[in-house]
Amino acid sequence: MRILAVEDEPILLRQLTLRIREALPESEIVAFDNADDAIAALPSGVIHIAFLDIAIGNRTGVDLARYIKAAYPQCDIVFTTGYSEYAPKAFELGASDYLMKPVTAKKIEHALSQLRYTKPKENR
């Protein structure tokens, strides 16, 4: 399983990838600190789950989610953010979950239980 993590704060990106790795140790995690690099990497392989910050430099996670969904319609999107006001827009896009920071292992486990397309327990 291939997982995308995008967060513009380096410390938070490391924490997010660590939490994902704890929950899904055999997954390939590709992590970026900006949306442009994440978009450029989309053609390099299928993304099954994307964990996206809402505020990513000059773009939003919502914008990035649109790119990802265009490339991989069955990619599960999980937003990780400190901004609750974007939740309605996130769910309009079909987000599987919306995690408020700080992201913990328990929140990641909950998000994995909410996925629409990917079944991580089957891939462990």
Side-chain angles (χ1 to χ4, degrees):
M1 176 179 335
R2 193 159 186 250
I3 299 172
L4 175 67
V6 184
E7 164 65 62
D8 63 346
E9 297 288 335
I11 291 171
L12 296 178
L13 180 58
R14 277 193 297 277
Q15 289 174 348
L16 177 60
T17 57
L18 285 172
R19 298 298 168 272
I20 296 168
R21 181 141 337 274
E22 288 171 9
L24 299 168
E26 287 129 28
S27 294
E28 175 189 357
I29 301 170
V30 289
F32 297 96
D33 64 2
N34 67 80
D36 292 334
D37 287 348
I39 291 168
L42 287 179
S44 68
V46 173
I47 301 294
H48 298 98
I49 308 169
F51 287 85
L52 308 176
D53 187 15
I54 284 290
I56 313 168
N58 63 346
R59 293 189 191 257
T60 69
V62 173
D63 294 335
L64 181 54
R66 286 188 186 107
Y67 280 98
I68 293 167
K69 284 298 210 177
Y72 305 106
Q74 293 197 331
C75 178
D76 283 292
I77 305 291
V78 177
F79 288 99
T80 61
T81 185
Y83 302 100
S84 61
E85 64 266 22
Y86 291 95
K89 181 56 90 178
F91 287 111
E92 283 176 21
L93 289 170
S96 294
D97 208 349
Y98 194 91
L99 307 180
M100 293 299 293
K101 292 177 183 176
V103 176
T104 63
K106 185 175 181 177
K107 289 179 181 179
I108 294 286
E109 287 292 333
H110 179 268
L112 295 175
S113 75
Q114 301 300 306
L115 300 178
R116 296 169 188 253
Y117 306 106
T118 308
K119 302 297 178 209
K121 299 291 184 195
E122 296 171 5
N123 294 317
R124 284 180 143 178

